[in-house]
Amino acid sequence: MINHRKLIALVDMDYFFAQCEELKRPELKGRPVAVCMFTAPERGAISSANYVARELGVKVGMPVSIAKQQVNELVTLPVDMSYYSSLSFKIMGALIAKYKKVEVASIDEAYVEINASNNKDAVGIGSAIKDLVLKESGIICTVGIGQNKLIAKMACDSIKPNGLRVVMPEESAEFIEKSSLNAIPYIGNKTIERLGILGCYTVNDAKKLTVEQLEKEFGNKKGIFIYNALRGIDDRAIQTNRVRKEYERFATLGNNDPFNLIDELSASLFLRLSGMKFQEIGIIVIYEDMSVRTKAITLKFLASSVDVLKAEGKQLFREIQAVDGRKVRRIGLRVSKLKQTNYLSLSDYTN
Ligand code: TTP
Ligand code: MG
Ligand code: MG
């Protein structure tokens, strides 16, 4: 009897925005390239860097000015979201056409359910996915395969760029034990620092903590996630119906200027939209006493610009504060009435 096993492949494009730029302008190949979210000429942060730039020390999130100081010959380009999303839609459309269960998780990554009875089968399917992506778009990606989303993601991260790695279910425990804590998704620097205070520096150290200890330290949801992740357990299903009706971003004001904060929220929200257009913009203002006021505007047109988001967000904030000038604790920005701009719409994904 053939023993088919359900596995999950995570497909993630390598240095996606920067690779798209290399496709657009082949003369960039071999040079250090960074795509930047500019806030003013020469100001902003690195959003994606090719591997040539990364080897020279350029990192995502780094201010453009620092990256330029470090790498004189760095080519810095502005975000061309509609081009990246058109390539993304070609790729995702091809994956959805070929495989039954696909979850588009972001502009450059998708989870694909596959059936494989052994490592060799899984490697074959992984290479077929890489070939399909390359043929459809010219883009190189990395594929990680495992028994769940967590292992697939960690396998993918461990073999970037242009890689393929299969971790069969019987290899999962050892794979996780040999990983460093920061290789586990959602375990970031802050979590690692707090685990360190508890005397845990490796996966095996952290496995000695009880679920109660982890819940006490990180809250129920995250505590349970970490407890399971350390054991390679992750029961998140592949969600094929990812038709989102709205997106939002929140941040705490602290000593920041609220208008600067709205600019930052706009930039982050705009990136998340990955080229989707929006017609409704809303602001959520949370005061020190935790009371909330909201206001929204419906535009006369479908917008796709970060500047519209910034300007309307600030205007809504001014209108709320003109009536209610109390001390603000947090601000949220939301967009709704969304429409996909490319030839494949998000609802096409679910058919
Ligand atoms: P990632 O897949 O995280 O990064 P990447 O594709 O650039 O590089 P890697 O080879 O490591 O996968 O994100 C996909 C795209 O999303 C990325 O090209 C740019 C954008 N992005 C941002 O704009 N800001 C960010 O902080 C991150 C993480 C990504
Ligand atoms: Mg990527
Ligand atoms: Mg990604």
Side-chain angles (χ1 to χ4, degrees), residues 10-14 16 105-110 153 157 160:
L10 175 68
V11 190
D12 188 293
M13 309 313 134
D14 297 327
F16 186 53
S106 79
I107 189 167
D108 89 326
E109 60 199 81
K153 168 88 177 134
D157 288 346
K160 269 186 164 287

Side-chain angles (χ1 to χ4, degrees), residues 210-267:
T210 63
V211 71
E212 290 79 14
Q213 280 173 303
L214 285 164
E215 286 185 78
K216 189 164 163 255
E217 187 66 26
F218 299 106
N220 294 62
K221 202 170 158 203
K222 180 144 188 182
I224 293 171
F225 177 86
I226 295 175
Y227 183 86
N228 284 330
L230 293 166
R231 288 156 182 81
I233 299 168
D234 176 15
D235 54 12
R236 286 173 300 160
I238 291 197
Q239 291 178 287
T240 47
N241 294 1
R242 286 175 68 95
V243 191
R244 290 274 292 263
K245 291 204 160 51
E246 58 180 38
Y247 285 93
E248 56 189 19
R249 283 283 185 275
F250 280 90
T252 301
L253 186 58
N255 293 323
N256 294 329
D257 173 65
F259 295 101
N260 284 342
L261 191 68
I262 293 171
D263 279 344
E264 284 168 21
L265 289 170
S266 303

Side-chain angles (χ1 to χ4, degrees), residues 12-17 47-48 51 54 60 108 160 271:
D12 188 293
M13 309 313 134
D14 297 327
Y15 63 100
F16 186 53
F17 290 5
S47 157
S48 173
Y51 281 77
R54 287 187 206 189
V60 170
D108 89 326
K160 269 186 164 287
L271 273 180

Side-chain angles (χ1 to χ4, degrees), residues 135-250:
K135 185 171 105 324
E136 282 300 322
S137 63
I139 289 283
I140 292 168
C141 66
T142 296
V143 174
I145 296 179
Q147 64 190 3
N148 55 37
K149 285 183 168 180
L150 177 88
I151 307 275
K153 168 88 177 134
M154 287 176 65
C156 178
D157 288 346
S158 76
I159 198 93
K160 269 186 164 287
N162 195 11
L164 167 60
R165 180 163 186 185
V166 175
V167 176
M168 290 303 279
E170 54 276 16
E171 299 164 333
S172 297
E174 199 190 341
F175 172 71
I176 299 262
E177 272 167 25
K178 284 193 176 150
S179 301
S180 62
L181 284 171
N182 66 11
I184 299 176
Y186 308 109
I187 299 198
N189 291 340
K190 273 192 194 147
T191 307
I192 289 190
E193 208 171 284
R194 282 159 73 185
L195 286 169
I197 295 169
L198 297 174
C200 302
Y201 303 96
T202 65
V203 168
N204 276 332
D205 292 342
K207 275 171 91 168
K208 297 195 182 99
L209 300 174
T210 63
V211 71
E212 290 79 14
Q213 280 173 303
L214 285 164
E215 286 185 78
K216 189 164 163 255
E217 187 66 26
F218 299 106
N220 294 62
K221 202 170 158 203
K222 180 144 188 182
I224 293 171
F225 177 86
I226 295 175
Y227 183 86
N228 284 330
L230 293 166
R231 288 156 182 81
I233 299 168
D234 176 15
D235 54 12
R236 286 173 300 160
I238 291 197
Q239 291 178 287
T240 47
N241 294 1
R242 286 175 68 95
V243 191
R244 290 274 292 263
K245 291 204 160 51
E246 58 180 38
Y247 285 93
E248 56 189 19
R249 283 283 185 275
F250 280 90

Side-chain angles (χ1 to χ4, degrees), residues 90-103:
K90 267 193 200 167
I91 295 168
M92 302 307 173
L95 289 173
I96 287 157
K98 176 153 179 193
Y99 299 93
K100 275 203 197 89
K101 236 178 170 181
V102 176
E103 173 180 335

